Amino acid sequence: TLPLTNDSWSQTFRYGNGATGTSTEPKLADGIYTFTVTATDKVGKTNKAERKITVDTNPPEIKDNTLKIDDVSFDSTKWYESKTLPISIEVSDGTGSGIAKVQVTATENAADDDWRSLSLLEGLWTGTVQFDGEDGSNNFWIRAKDNAGNDPTVSSFTVKIDTSAPKIDLIK
């Protein structure tokens, strides 16, 4: 019940264990909550409004062990014959706000425009990673951002690339 003074009102909201305050620390655990507001006028008529909110303070999780290259589980000892590799990976935000984007780059200390977006297809984020460097060990990074704007999670991987046939020098 809200105290009415000169046709205006104020309310202190209580949540969780009933504590109130102005701290910037989150008061609600991550999850989805439904708030109901009920207004009653002077003659007893009421109206209700409901709103759902999602509290999400955790970044998404890139499930490194689900990485596939060329539809085969990632193996750091394998050599690849191309500098353009199709990849797929699982990313989860649990009960959070959902995944906003998943991106990949092969550029160390990449600027935002160096990251390429992956697409969600049948529960996996898929796309390609392009390597411009020399044959041998090459790194790439995958980052995920959620709809709440939590700092992106970044995972790094190293692949071995060999695009050249061996050279043969015959000695006379």
Side-chain angles (χ1 to χ4, degrees):
T1 303
L2 302 176
L4 195 59
T5 308
N6 298 328
D7 293 331
S8 67
W9 62 274
S10 66
Q11 173 64 44
T12 301
F13 290 94
R14 300 188 188 285
Y15 40 85
N17 64 3
T20 61
T22 58
S23 171
T24 59
E25 294 297 314
K27 300 290 188 215
L28 297 173
D30 283 11
I32 300 170
Y33 298 89
T34 301
F35 289 90
T36 305
V37 176
T38 304
T40 305
D41 65 15
K42 292 179 182 180
V43 294
K45 295 179 193 170
T46 63
N47 199 357
K48 288 184 181 183
E50 269 191 10
R51 294 290 182 263
K52 287 188 183 216
I53 66 161
T54 300
V55 176
D56 181 1
T57 60
N58 295 308
E61 176 190 2
I62 298 171
K63 299 192 176 192
D64 294 354
N65 64 339
T66 67
L67 175 65
K68 290 186 177 184
I69 298 178
D70 274 337
D71 289 324
V72 176
S73 293
F74 174 64
D75 177 354
S76 62
T77 64
K78 181 178 176 170
W79 286 85
Y80 297 92
E81 297 178 33
S82 174
K83 289 189 176 187
T84 302
L85 299 175
I87 62 171
S88 65
I89 196 161
E90 185 180 338
V91 178
S92 172
D93 198 33
T95 61
S97 58
I99 304 298
K101 62 184 171 183
V102 178
Q103 298 173 302
V104 64
T105 188
T107 305
E108 192 165 356
N109 300 317
D112 276 345
D113 58 350
D114 291 326
W115 291 86
R116 297 177 55 182
S117 291
L118 301 179
S119 300
L120 184 60
L121 180 64
E122 297 177 6
L124 296 174
W125 291 88
T126 63
T128 58
V129 59
Q130 175 70 42
F131 298 96
D132 296 326
E134 301 290 321
D135 283 3
S137 291
N138 285 269
N139 298 319
F140 71 99
W141 296 265
I142 296 175
R143 74 177 177 185
K145 189 164 189 147
D146 63 16
N147 290 313
N150 289 309
D151 288 336
T153 301
V154 179
S155 288
S156 64
F157 303 91
T158 302
V159 293
K160 296 175 185 171
I161 296 176
D162 182 2
T163 60
S164 305
K167 292 182 182 178
I168 300 175
D169 289 330
L170 295 177
I171 301 175
K172 291 185 184 183

PDB file of all heavy atoms in Angstrom, residues 125-143:
ATOM      1  N   TRP A 125      27.635 -21.546 -33.478  1.00  0.00           N
ATOM      2  CA  TRP A 125      28.053 -20.324 -34.161  1.00  0.00           C
ATOM      3  C   TRP A 125      29.054 -20.741 -35.227  1.00  0.00           C
ATOM      4  O   TRP A 125      30.060 -21.380 -34.922  1.00  0.00           O
ATOM      5  CB  TRP A 125      28.639 -19.344 -33.156  1.00  0.00           C
ATOM      6  CG  TRP A 125      27.579 -18.810 -32.244  1.00  0.00           C
ATOM      7  CD1 TRP A 125      27.149 -19.361 -31.068  1.00  0.00           C
ATOM      8  CD2 TRP A 125      26.753 -17.675 -32.476  1.00  0.00           C
ATOM      9  NE1 TRP A 125      26.119 -18.615 -30.552  1.00  0.00           N
ATOM     10  CE2 TRP A 125      25.862 -17.572 -31.385  1.00  0.00           C
ATOM     11  CE3 TRP A 125      26.689 -16.715 -33.492  1.00  0.00           C
ATOM     12  CZ2 TRP A 125      24.913 -16.552 -31.289  1.00  0.00           C
ATOM     13  CZ3 TRP A 125      25.752 -15.693 -33.385  1.00  0.00           C
ATOM     14  CH2 TRP A 125      24.882 -15.620 -32.302  1.00  0.00           C
ATOM     15  N   THR A 126      28.760 -20.414 -36.484  1.00  0.00           N
ATOM     16  CA  THR A 126      29.558 -20.900 -37.605  1.00  0.00           C
ATOM     17  C   THR A 126      30.034 -19.747 -38.486  1.00  0.00           C
ATOM     18  O   THR A 126      29.414 -18.688 -38.541  1.00  0.00           O
ATOM     19  CB  THR A 126      28.742 -21.878 -38.469  1.00  0.00           C
ATOM     20  OG1 THR A 126      27.620 -21.180 -39.030  1.00  0.00           O
ATOM     21  CG2 THR A 126      28.240 -23.054 -37.658  1.00  0.00           C
ATOM     22  N   GLY A 127      31.133 -19.993 -39.180  1.00  0.00           N
ATOM     23  CA  GLY A 127      31.689 -19.020 -40.117  1.00  0.00           C
ATOM     24  C   GLY A 127      33.056 -19.492 -40.554  1.00  0.00           C
ATOM     25  O   GLY A 127      33.367 -20.684 -40.498  1.00  0.00           O
ATOM     26  N   THR A 128      33.874 -18.548 -41.017  1.00  0.00           N
ATOM     27  CA  THR A 128      35.227 -18.892 -41.446  1.00  0.00           C
ATOM     28  C   THR A 128      36.224 -17.966 -40.762  1.00  0.00           C
ATOM     29  O   THR A 128      35.907 -16.843 -40.397  1.00  0.00           O
ATOM     30  CB  THR A 128      35.406 -18.767 -42.976  1.00  0.00           C
ATOM     31  OG1 THR A 128      35.088 -17.431 -43.366  1.00  0.00           O
ATOM     32  CG2 THR A 128      34.521 -19.752 -43.716  1.00  0.00           C
ATOM     33  N   VAL A 129      37.431 -18.476 -40.612  1.00  0.00           N
ATOM     34  CA  VAL A 129      38.543 -17.659 -40.132  1.00  0.00           C
ATOM     35  C   VAL A 129      39.576 -17.629 -41.250  1.00  0.00           C
ATOM     36  O   VAL A 129      39.878 -18.659 -41.859  1.00  0.00           O
ATOM     37  CB  VAL A 129      39.113 -18.180 -38.795  1.00  0.00           C
ATOM     38  CG1 VAL A 129      39.614 -19.599 -38.897  1.00  0.00           C
ATOM     39  CG2 VAL A 129      40.188 -17.248 -38.272  1.00  0.00           C
ATOM     40  N   GLN A 130      40.073 -16.429 -41.548  1.00  0.00           N
ATOM     41  CA  GLN A 130      41.020 -16.217 -42.642  1.00  0.00           C
ATOM     42  C   GLN A 130      42.389 -15.853 -42.068  1.00  0.00           C
ATOM     43  O   GLN A 130      42.495 -14.919 -41.271  1.00  0.00           O
ATOM     44  CB  GLN A 130      40.525 -15.087 -43.552  1.00  0.00           C
ATOM     45  CG  GLN A 130      41.482 -14.687 -44.650  1.00  0.00           C
ATOM     46  CD  GLN A 130      41.615 -15.752 -45.723  1.00  0.00           C
ATOM     47  OE1 GLN A 130      40.626 -16.343 -46.136  1.00  0.00           O
ATOM     48  NE2 GLN A 130      42.835 -16.012 -46.150  1.00  0.00           N
ATOM     49  N   PHE A 131      43.420 -16.575 -42.498  1.00  0.00           N
ATOM     50  CA  PHE A 131      44.786 -16.310 -42.044  1.00  0.00           C
ATOM     51  C   PHE A 131      45.570 -15.661 -43.173  1.00  0.00           C
ATOM     52  O   PHE A 131      45.581 -16.150 -44.298  1.00  0.00           O
ATOM     53  CB  PHE A 131      45.477 -17.615 -41.614  1.00  0.00           C
ATOM     54  CG  PHE A 131      44.787 -18.283 -40.470  1.00  0.00           C
ATOM     55  CD1 PHE A 131      43.866 -19.296 -40.692  1.00  0.00           C
ATOM     56  CD2 PHE A 131      45.046 -17.884 -39.168  1.00  0.00           C
ATOM     57  CE1 PHE A 131      43.216 -19.902 -39.633  1.00  0.00           C
ATOM     58  CE2 PHE A 131      44.392 -18.491 -38.100  1.00  0.00           C
ATOM     59  CZ  PHE A 131      43.476 -19.497 -38.340  1.00  0.00           C
ATOM     60  N   ASP A 132      46.218 -14.551 -42.876  1.00  0.00           N
ATOM     61  CA  ASP A 132      47.008 -13.839 -43.877  1.00  0.00           C
ATOM     62  C   ASP A 132      48.502 -14.041 -43.674  1.00  0.00           C
ATOM     63  O   ASP A 132      49.305 -13.596 -44.484  1.00  0.00           O
ATOM     64  CB  ASP A 132      46.692 -12.331 -43.826  1.00  0.00           C
ATOM     65  CG  ASP A 132      45.239 -12.050 -44.194  1.00  0.00           C
ATOM     66  OD1 ASP A 132      44.683 -12.775 -45.040  1.00  0.00           O
ATOM     67  OD2 ASP A 132      44.669 -11.107 -43.618  1.00  0.00           O
ATOM     68  N   GLY A 133      48.877 -14.709 -42.599  1.00  0.00           N
ATOM     69  CA  GLY A 133      50.294 -14.873 -42.274  1.00  0.00           C
ATOM     70  C   GLY A 133      50.951 -16.019 -43.017  1.00  0.00           C
ATOM     71  O   GLY A 133      50.394 -16.616 -43.936  1.00  0.00           O
ATOM     72  N   GLU A 134      52.138 -16.321 -42.566  1.00  0.00           N
ATOM     73  CA  GLU A 134      52.947 -17.379 -43.155  1.00  0.00           C
ATOM     74  C   GLU A 134      52.416 -18.756 -42.747  1.00  0.00           C
ATOM     75  O   GLU A 134      51.647 -18.878 -41.796  1.00  0.00           O
ATOM     76  CB  GLU A 134      54.401 -17.241 -42.668  1.00  0.00           C
ATOM     77  CG  GLU A 134      55.053 -15.925 -43.014  1.00  0.00           C
ATOM     78  CD  GLU A 134      55.321 -15.793 -44.495  1.00  0.00           C
ATOM     79  OE1 GLU A 134      55.708 -16.799 -45.128  1.00  0.00           O
ATOM     80  OE2 GLU A 134      55.145 -14.680 -45.028  1.00  0.00           O
ATOM     81  N   ASP A 135      52.863 -19.785 -43.462  1.00  0.00           N
ATOM     82  CA  ASP A 135      52.586 -21.151 -43.040  1.00  0.00           C
ATOM     83  C   ASP A 135      53.237 -21.381 -41.676  1.00  0.00           C
ATOM     84  O   ASP A 135      54.177 -20.695 -41.293  1.00  0.00           O
ATOM     85  CB  ASP A 135      53.153 -22.151 -44.054  1.00  0.00           C
ATOM     86  CG  ASP A 135      52.289 -22.268 -45.308  1.00  0.00           C
ATOM     87  OD1 ASP A 135      51.283 -21.544 -45.414  1.00  0.00           O
ATOM     88  OD2 ASP A 135      52.630 -23.087 -46.177  1.00  0.00           O
ATOM     89  N   GLY A 136      52.733 -22.358 -40.955  1.00  0.00           N
ATOM     90  CA  GLY A 136      53.229 -22.661 -39.616  1.00  0.00           C
ATOM     91  C   GLY A 136      52.132 -22.415 -38.601  1.00  0.00           C
ATOM     92  O   GLY A 136      50.942 -22.451 -38.927  1.00  0.00           O
ATOM     93  N   SER A 137      52.493 -22.137 -37.368  1.00  0.00           N
ATOM     94  CA  SER A 137      51.506 -21.897 -36.303  1.00  0.00           C
ATOM     95  C   SER A 137      50.874 -20.523 -36.472  1.00  0.00           C
ATOM     96  O   SER A 137      51.567 -19.531 -36.662  1.00  0.00           O
ATOM     97  CB  SER A 137      52.168 -21.982 -34.931  1.00  0.00           C
ATOM     98  OG  SER A 137      52.538 -23.315 -34.661  1.00  0.00           O
ATOM     99  N   ASN A 138      49.558 -20.485 -36.421  1.00  0.00           N
ATOM    100  CA  ASN A 138      48.795 -19.243 -36.524  1.00  0.00           C
ATOM    101  C   ASN A 138      47.754 -19.225 -35.417  1.00  0.00           C
ATOM    102  O   ASN A 138      47.143 -20.250 -35.115  1.00  0.00           O
ATOM    103  CB  ASN A 138      48.087 -19.146 -37.884  1.00  0.00           C
ATOM    104  CG  ASN A 138      49.042 -18.810 -39.009  1.00  0.00           C
ATOM    105  OD1 ASN A 138      49.238 -17.644 -39.310  1.00  0.00           O
ATOM    106  ND2 ASN A 138      49.655 -19.830 -39.603  1.00  0.00           N
ATOM    107  N   ASN A 139      47.533 -18.057 -34.841  1.00  0.00           N
ATOM    108  CA  ASN A 139      46.547 -17.904 -33.774  1.00  0.00           C
ATOM    109  C   ASN A 139      45.272 -17.280 -34.316  1.00  0.00           C
ATOM    110  O   ASN A 139      45.298 -16.503 -35.267  1.00  0.00           O
ATOM    111  CB  ASN A 139      47.096 -17.001 -32.668  1.00  0.00           C
ATOM    112  CG  ASN A 139      48.320 -17.588 -32.016  1.00  0.00           C
ATOM    113  OD1 ASN A 139      48.381 -18.781 -31.755  1.00  0.00           O
ATOM    114  ND2 ASN A 139      49.306 -16.757 -31.754  1.00  0.00           N
ATOM    115  N   PHE A 140      44.165 -17.637 -33.658  1.00  0.00           N
ATOM    116  CA  PHE A 140      42.920 -16.919 -33.897  1.00  0.00           C
ATOM    117  C   PHE A 140      42.149 -16.831 -32.598  1.00  0.00           C
ATOM    118  O   PHE A 140      42.400 -17.574 -31.651  1.00  0.00           O
ATOM    119  CB  PHE A 140      42.098 -17.525 -35.047  1.00  0.00           C
ATOM    120  CG  PHE A 140      41.460 -18.853 -34.766  1.00  0.00           C
ATOM    121  CD1 PHE A 140      40.122 -18.938 -34.401  1.00  0.00           C
ATOM    122  CD2 PHE A 140      42.165 -20.033 -34.902  1.00  0.00           C
ATOM    123  CE1 PHE A 140      39.522 -20.156 -34.175  1.00  0.00           C
ATOM    124  CE2 PHE A 140      41.578 -21.264 -34.687  1.00  0.00           C
ATOM    125  CZ  PHE A 140      40.249 -21.322 -34.311  1.00  0.00           C
ATOM    126  N   TRP A 141      41.230 -15.856 -32.553  1.00  0.00           N
ATOM    127  CA  TRP A 141      40.481 -15.556 -31.344  1.00  0.00           C
ATOM    128  C   TRP A 141      39.001 -15.535 -31.663  1.00  0.00           C
ATOM    129  O   TRP A 141      38.583 -15.074 -32.726  1.00  0.00           O
ATOM    130  CB  TRP A 141      40.898 -14.191 -30.782  1.00  0.00           C
ATOM    131  CG  TRP A 141      42.328 -14.164 -30.346  1.00  0.00           C
ATOM    132  CD1 TRP A 141      42.795 -14.369 -29.086  1.00  0.00           C
ATOM    133  CD2 TRP A 141      43.478 -13.917 -31.153  1.00  0.00           C
ATOM    134  NE1 TRP A 141      44.163 -14.270 -29.068  1.00  0.00           N
ATOM    135  CE2 TRP A 141      44.605 -13.997 -30.327  1.00  0.00           C
ATOM    136  CE3 TRP A 141      43.667 -13.648 -32.519  1.00  0.00           C
ATOM    137  CZ2 TRP A 141      45.907 -13.805 -30.793  1.00  0.00           C
ATOM    138  CZ3 TRP A 141      44.957 -13.467 -32.983  1.00  0.00           C
ATOM    139  CH2 TRP A 141      46.059 -13.541 -32.122  1.00  0.00           C
ATOM    140  N   ILE A 142      38.214 -16.032 -30.717  1.00  0.00           N
ATOM    141  CA  ILE A 142      36.749 -15.968 -30.813  1.00  0.00           C
ATOM    142  C   ILE A 142      36.273 -15.180 -29.606  1.00  0.00           C
ATOM    143  O   ILE A 142      36.732 -15.416 -28.483  1.00  0.00           O
ATOM    144  CB  ILE A 142      36.125 -17.376 -30.825  1.00  0.00           C
ATOM    145  CG1 ILE A 142      36.573 -18.139 -32.073  1.00  0.00           C
ATOM    146  CG2 ILE A 142      34.598 -17.296 -30.760  1.00  0.00           C
ATOM    147  CD1 ILE A 142      36.111 -19.587 -32.129  1.00  0.00           C
ATOM    148  N   ARG A 143      35.367 -14.223 -29.845  1.00  0.00           N
ATOM    149  CA  ARG A 143      34.808 -13.461 -28.723  1.00  0.00           C
ATOM    150  C   ARG A 143      33.292 -13.506 -28.796  1.00  0.00           C
ATOM    151  O   ARG A 143      32.708 -13.597 -29.874  1.00  0.00           O
ATOM    152  CB  ARG A 143      35.327 -12.020 -28.691  1.00  0.00           C
ATOM    153  CG  ARG A 143      34.755 -11.103 -29.746  1.00  0.00           C
ATOM    154  CD  ARG A 143      35.301  -9.693 -29.568  1.00  0.00           C
ATOM    155  NE  ARG A 143      34.810  -8.813 -30.616  1.00  0.00           N
ATOM    156  CZ  ARG A 143      35.192  -7.568 -30.771  1.00  0.00           C
ATOM    157  NH1 ARG A 143      36.096  -7.041 -29.948  1.00  0.00           N
ATOM    158  NH2 ARG A 143      34.694  -6.823 -31.742  1.00  0.00           N
TER     159      ARG A 143
END
